[in-house]
Amino acid sequence: MKNKKITLKELASILKVSVSTVSKALNDSYEISEATKKKVKTAAIKYNYSPNLLAQGLKTRRTKIIGVVIPDMRAPFFIRVLRGIEKEASKKGYNILTCFSNESFEKEKATLEMLSQGNVDGILMSLSKETQELGQIDHVNEIMSNGIPVTLFDRVDDRIECDKVIINDFESTYFATKELLKAGARNILFISPISTTTIGKNRYRGYAFALREHGNLEEKVLSIEEYKDFSADLNRILSTEKVDGIIAANELTGISAVNIASRHGLRIPEDISIIGFTNGLLSMNSNPPLTTMSQHGKEIGRVATTKLLDRLNNSKLDYTTTVIETTLIKRGTTRLGF
Amino acid sequence: MKNKKITLKELASILKVSVSTVSKALNDSYEISEATKKKVKTAAIKYNYSPNLLAQGLKTRRTKIIGVVIPDMRAPFFIRVLRGIEKEASKKGYNILTCFSNESFEKEKATLEMLSQGNVDGILMSLSKETQELGQIDHVNEIMSNGIPVTLFDRVDDRIECDKVIINDFESTYFATKELLKAGARNILFISPISTTTIGKNRYRGYAFALREHGNLEEKVLSIEEYKDFSADLNRILSTEKVDGIIAANELTGISAVNIASRHGLRIPEDISIIGFTNGLLSMNSNPPLTTMSQHGKEIGRVATTKLLDRLNNSKLDYTTTVIETTLIKRGTTRLGF
DNA sequence: CTGAAAGCGCTAACAT
DNA sequence: ATGTTAGCGCTTTCAG
């Protein structure tokens, strides 16, 4: 009996009732008697009926799909966020349409345009690097003016009025730097491949502020444009300068720093302490395991999804910004007990 | 002028022509004169018209969306495949609806059901662990009988008739094992967290075959059920037995093996050689960097997408299985020159 | 070359 | 409590 898809109309004619009766029965309308509801529902199962989502969406203006725009799918952080989003969304009966902007403004814009063509009820996104460099926000505002709510996470823009979920970037590097200072480090290098993003800037500020507070210690900053040059750059710095602490603004550079320092003959954490960002698989499995600021990516995804779904059910809510606090996960690249 | 979304009907009334004329003009129908085509198209841009994908899909039975079902989003391999899929799909004007089965049969089944409700033109998927353990294939056959083509990748089932993209699992571990033998290893441990999947079984067979060929060397196999027990299990083996080579059937256990062996006081690769699977960030960034079998995940994704899209355009094609050959990436966990 | 009209599968007033 | 009907926005015969 389970076979080809069947339509409402066909089901109605099998049951010899009208389509609207079937539709209402399936949707548990108060207008329909319990008896027919039961009859319709069992028939629906028997004939393997399931509604055509396109038709339903066309009619109700609801697709139960939320679009997710991720800047970089290689970054473990975003993957964790995605996990959080997927879990929460599927719990609430929503599906996710995942798209990647690859840090490109044009791709991001094109993605939003396609998402605005009726497929999704709302959008979760993190701004691409290029978008933040260019300071563009029109494309985001435009999709919202089309009635599609957007919740931004991680990389946001103050000028966009919408729900946001961010981490306390400034404080996280501020505290990370203080930890290294407490452990005795005085020559702390800050490594960032995201110095052009809002979050990258805030992380730098936290680092710089801690140094200033601590007797105006000298800043050492390595901004990375291309990953391929990074190794050479860091090696040069380690050869020419004394460095006894490193703070990396993302996971990958943190891990690379561990490996490079280690090959450079430095003992970790005896000679140099290192703190990274994102508590992902890389950090857990490096040698030694990397002390890192956990951004609670899954939680960010979960909260962002909740906020978006809340808004879908009540568009009158005030816009809010939620800050997810980071946590320092102490592991082998920093001295114990500090 | 760029503002709210506008419909075909509205555009038609602005231009004082019929909706069908507008529709045909936009779709470059031969029935429409060049003059009106031009007029319509410029107006479409001026008034920021773009078609409602739901309505279009309802009518044409084409959504330009392909569903992707991934068993485990933490696995770097699948993420790489996803990248390949996304890139190829977006190049061809398709979007992807990404879903995760989390290695659960029920979730996989539910996902396929939802994907069969009209949202997607076709499906790319890799079977979940549980699905393979249970040997279930009905849910896949059912969605295909609903007219939605499926292309399986990596974890496939011979009993399902569809397009497939796989790697040469047997050969890859066969050659990997031979490499370790050539380097002098005689006590080679095979670690697998996927021993219940088809690919896991084939990888085991390749390993076993190489040992048998080489004078019936003794097999040592560690099958992992739970990651959390893994560390203890491996430590026990390393304490009680002589092991001078390890082949891990996936990336994560390969990396963990490196760390555990290293903490165990074994020098890598002098005392023990290790080969992992998947050429991901973890392997590149371990210490020492892991020698690994690259499965060319992006290529798998690209090819699978191509095959699916080809079938969407011509459902009469014969089903084919494409094998993507693995490549051994030699790095620091195996001795040079062997 | 253009337009009227039917209909994809569904929901929801509005009858009855 | 059930049915009739009018669309959602689009494509596509079929007429003109």
Side-chain angles (χ1 to χ4, degrees), chain B residues 263-332:
Chain B
R263 271 173 227 142
H264 214 84
L266 293 167
R267 290 168 307 158
I268 308 170
E270 292 80 0
D271 301 330
I272 186 168
S273 291
I274 303 177
I275 298 182
F277 248 88
T278 305
N279 184 31
L281 287 176
L282 285 167
S283 303
M284 297 174 195
N285 289 288
S286 67
N287 194 9
L290 186 62
T291 293
T292 192
M293 297 299 306
S294 170
Q295 296 163 88
H296 306 293
K298 273 171 80 173
E299 178 67 5
I300 291 175
R302 192 188 66 75
V303 173
T305 307
T306 309
K307 293 181 84 155
L308 181 64
L309 297 188
D310 283 352
R311 180 160 304 281
L312 289 179
N313 294 321
N314 179 4
S315 57
K316 305 274 168 271
L317 295 170
D318 285 337
Y319 292 123
T320 60
T321 296
T322 306
V323 178
I324 307 289
E325 307 273 334
T326 51
T327 317
L328 185 67
I329 313 272
K330 296 185 187 183
R331 283 197 276 248

Side-chain angles (χ1 to χ4, degrees), chain B residues 3-289:
Chain B
N3 235 321
K4 279 245 161 293
K5 284 232 151 297
I6 192 179
T7 71
L8 247 202
K9 200 166 146 188
E10 289 164 338
L11 191 58
S13 85
I14 289 172
L15 290 170
K16 301 196 197 317
V17 292
S18 74
V19 279
S20 61
T21 301
V22 178
S23 171
K24 286 172 189 167
L26 257 18
N27 291 315
D28 262 327
S29 163
Y30 64 95
E31 300 180 89
I32 304 295
S33 72
E34 282 307 318
T36 37
K37 273 187 194 173
K38 187 156 294 171
K39 190 177 68 178
V40 169
K41 285 180 181 172
T42 54
I45 293 170
K46 180 175 169 197
Y47 292 99
N48 195 26
Y49 170 78
S50 66
N52 178 310
L53 262 27
L54 291 180
Q56 216 167 30
L58 182 58
K59 189 71 195 176
T60 63
R61 266 75 232 314
R62 287 257 176 157
T63 61
K64 289 277 196 174
I65 296 179
I66 59 184
V68 182
V69 186
I70 302 274
D72 180 4
M73 79 188 305
R74 283 166 307 185
F77 167 67
F78 287 123
I79 299 298
R80 308 206 98 221
V81 176
L82 193 55
R83 273 169 65 79
I85 292 171
E86 202 274 334
K87 197 166 175 191
E88 184 67 16
S90 82
K91 196 201 293 181
K92 299 273 179 64
Y94 278 77
N95 293 294
I96 63 176
L97 187 53
T98 314
C99 306
F100 302 92
S101 63
N102 298 336
E103 303 287 16
S104 146
F105 168 64
E106 283 306 330
K107 182 101 195 282
E108 178 177 297
K109 196 175 161 186
T111 302
L112 286 192
E113 256 152 37
M114 101 82 186
L115 287 178
S116 74
Q117 322 203 336
N119 274 326
V120 301
D121 293 347
I123 291 174
L124 292 173
M125 80 181 276
S126 189
L127 266 15
S128 84
K129 223 185 256 191
E130 199 186 358
T131 304
Q132 294 214 311
E133 287 164 6
L134 299 172
Q136 289 278 5
I137 59 168
D138 294 350
H139 58 310
V140 183
N141 284 330
E142 193 181 325
I143 197 168
M144 289 195 297
S145 80
N146 279 329
I148 302 180
V150 174
T151 297
L152 291 177
F153 62 88
D154 197 49
R155 301 198 201 145
V156 306
D157 190 304
D158 289 341
R159 298 167 298 163
I160 302 175
E161 285 184 48
C162 68
D163 288 313
K164 292 162 194 156
V165 181
I166 55 175
I167 70 165
N168 53 343
D169 289 292
F170 176 87
E171 289 80 1
S172 61
T173 43
Y174 173 69
F175 286 120
T177 309
K178 297 242 291 191
E179 289 287 336
L180 293 187
L181 289 168
K182 261 192 264 175
R186 288 297 175 271
N187 301 281
I188 304 175
L189 174 67
F190 180 69
I191 303 176
S192 175
I194 48 171
S195 48
T196 57
T197 64
T198 48
I199 59 169
K201 285 174 189 160
N202 286 333
R203 287 180 199 173
Y204 161 71
R205 290 199 305 112
Y207 155 81
F209 191 78
L211 289 189
R212 211 172 320 137
E213 214 181 47
H214 203 280
N216 266 317
L217 286 172
E218 188 201 352
E219 291 178 23
K220 296 173 192 283
V221 176
L222 174 53
S223 284
I224 304 163
E225 299 275 327
E226 292 280 346
Y227 268 111
K228 61 176 161 42
D229 302 331
F230 171 53
S231 182
D233 287 346
L234 183 54
N235 265 312
R236 186 177 37 70
I237 293 176
L238 292 180
S239 310
T240 57
E241 303 183 38
K242 175 168 170 47
V243 176
D244 53 14
I246 291 180
I247 295 191
N250 77 340
E251 181 166 46
L252 199 46
T253 51
I255 293 297
S256 300
V258 169
N259 290 325
I260 292 169
S262 162
R263 271 173 227 142
H264 214 84
L266 293 167
R267 290 168 307 158
I268 308 170
E270 292 80 0
D271 301 330
I272 186 168
S273 291
I274 303 177
I275 298 182
F277 248 88
T278 305
N279 184 31
L281 287 176
L282 285 167
S283 303
M284 297 174 195
N285 289 288
S286 67
N287 194 9

Side-chain angles (χ1 to χ4, degrees), chain A residues 2-5 48 50-55 57-58 61 63 65 72-74 76 79 82-83 86 90 95-100 102 107 113-114 116-119 142 145-147 252 255-256 259 262-263 281-282 285-287 289, chain B residues 2-5 48 50-55 57-58 61 63 65 72-74 76 79 82-83 86 90 95-100 102 107 113-114 116-119 142 145-147 252 255-256 259 262-263 281-282 285-287 289:
Chain A
K2 279 196 117 195
N3 234 322
K4 277 245 160 293
K5 285 232 152 296
N48 195 27
S50 67
N52 178 310
L53 262 28
L54 291 179
L58 182 59
R61 265 75 232 313
T63 61
I65 296 179
D72 180 4
M73 80 188 307
R74 282 166 307 185
I79 299 297
L82 192 55
R83 271 169 66 80
E86 202 275 334
S90 82
N95 292 294
I96 63 175
L97 187 54
T98 314
C99 307
F100 302 93
N102 298 336
K107 182 101 195 283
E113 256 153 36
M114 100 83 186
S116 73
Q117 323 207 332
N119 275 326
E142 193 180 324
S145 79
N146 280 329
L252 198 46
I255 293 297
S256 299
N259 290 325
S262 162
R263 271 174 227 139
L281 287 175
L282 286 167
N285 288 288
S286 66
N287 194 8
Chain B
K2 281 194 116 196
N3 235 321
K4 279 245 161 293
K5 284 232 151 297
N48 195 26
S50 66
N52 178 310
L53 262 27
L54 291 180
L58 182 58
R61 266 75 232 314
T63 61
I65 296 179
D72 180 4
M73 79 188 305
R74 283 166 307 185
I79 299 298
L82 193 55
R83 273 169 65 79
E86 202 274 334
S90 82
N95 293 294
I96 63 176
L97 187 53
T98 314
C99 306
F100 302 92
N102 298 336
K107 182 101 195 282
E113 256 152 37
M114 101 82 186
S116 74
Q117 322 203 336
N119 274 326
E142 193 181 325
S145 80
N146 279 329
L252 199 46
I255 293 297
S256 300
N259 290 325
S262 162
R263 271 173 227 142
L281 287 176
L282 285 167
N285 289 288
S286 67
N287 194 9

Side-chain angles (χ1 to χ4, degrees), chain A residues 32-318:
Chain A
I32 304 295
S33 72
E34 282 306 319
T36 39
K37 272 187 193 173
K38 188 158 293 172
K39 190 178 69 176
V40 169
K41 283 180 181 173
T42 54
I45 292 169
K46 180 174 170 200
Y47 293 99
N48 195 27
Y49 170 78
S50 67
N52 178 310
L53 262 28
L54 291 179
Q56 217 168 29
L58 182 59
K59 187 69 195 178
T60 63
R61 265 75 232 313
R62 286 256 176 159
T63 61
K64 289 277 196 175
I65 296 179
I66 59 183
V68 182
V69 186
I70 301 275
D72 180 4
M73 80 188 307
R74 282 166 307 185
F77 167 66
F78 287 122
I79 299 297
R80 306 206 99 221
V81 176
L82 192 55
R83 271 169 66 80
I85 292 172
E86 202 275 334
K87 197 166 176 190
E88 183 67 16
S90 82
K91 195 200 298 179
K92 301 271 179 65
Y94 279 76
N95 292 294
I96 63 175
L97 187 54
T98 314
C99 307
F100 302 93
S101 63
N102 298 336
E103 303 288 16
S104 146
F105 168 65
E106 283 305 332
K107 182 101 195 283
E108 178 177 296
K109 196 175 161 187
T111 301
L112 286 191
E113 256 153 36
M114 100 83 186
L115 287 177
S116 73
Q117 323 207 332
N119 275 326
V120 300
D121 292 348
I123 291 174
L124 293 172
M125 78 181 277
S126 189
L127 265 16
S128 84
K129 222 185 257 191
E130 199 186 359
T131 303
Q132 294 214 310
E133 286 164 7
L134 298 172
Q136 289 279 4
I137 59 168
D138 294 351
H139 58 310
V140 183
N141 283 330
E142 193 180 324
I143 197 167
M144 290 195 296
S145 79
N146 280 329
I148 302 178
V150 174
T151 297
L152 291 176
F153 62 88
D154 197 50
R155 300 199 201 145
V156 305
D157 190 304
D158 290 340
R159 296 167 299 163
I160 301 176
E161 284 184 49
C162 67
D163 288 314
K164 292 163 194 157
V165 181
I166 55 174
I167 70 165
N168 54 343
D169 289 292
F170 176 88
E171 289 80 1
S172 61
T173 43
Y174 173 69
F175 287 120
T177 308
K178 296 241 294 191
E179 289 288 336
L180 294 186
L181 290 169
K182 263 191 261 172
R186 289 298 175 270
N187 301 281
I188 304 174
L189 175 67
F190 180 70
I191 303 177
S192 174
I194 47 171
S195 48
T196 57
T197 64
T198 48
I199 59 169
K201 284 173 188 160
N202 286 334
R203 288 181 197 171
Y204 161 72
R205 289 198 305 112
Y207 155 81
F209 191 78
L211 290 189
R212 212 174 318 139
E213 214 181 48
H214 202 279
N216 265 317
L217 286 172
E218 189 200 354
E219 292 178 23
K220 294 172 193 284
V221 176
L222 174 54
S223 285
I224 303 163
E225 300 275 325
E226 292 280 346
Y227 268 111
K228 63 175 161 46
D229 303 330
F230 170 54
S231 182
D233 286 346
L234 182 54
N235 265 313
R236 186 177 36 69
I237 292 176
L238 292 179
S239 312
T240 57
E241 304 183 38
K242 174 170 172 45
V243 177
D244 53 14
I246 291 180
I247 295 191
N250 76 340
E251 181 166 48
L252 198 46
T253 52
I255 293 297
S256 299
V258 170
N259 290 325
I260 292 168
S262 162
R263 271 174 227 139
H264 214 85
L266 293 167
R267 290 169 307 158
I268 308 170
E270 293 81 1
D271 301 328
I272 187 169
S273 291
I274 303 177
I275 297 182
F277 248 87
T278 306
N279 184 30
L281 287 175
L282 286 167
S283 303
M284 297 173 194
N285 288 288
S286 66
N287 194 8
L290 186 62
T291 293
T292 191
M293 297 300 305
S294 171
Q295 296 163 88
H296 307 292
K298 273 170 80 173
E299 178 68 4
I300 292 175
R302 192 188 67 72
V303 173
T305 307
T306 308
K307 293 180 83 156
L308 182 63
L309 297 187
D310 283 351
R311 179 160 304 281
L312 290 179
N313 294 320
N314 179 2
S315 58
K316 306 275 167 271
L317 296 170
D318 285 337

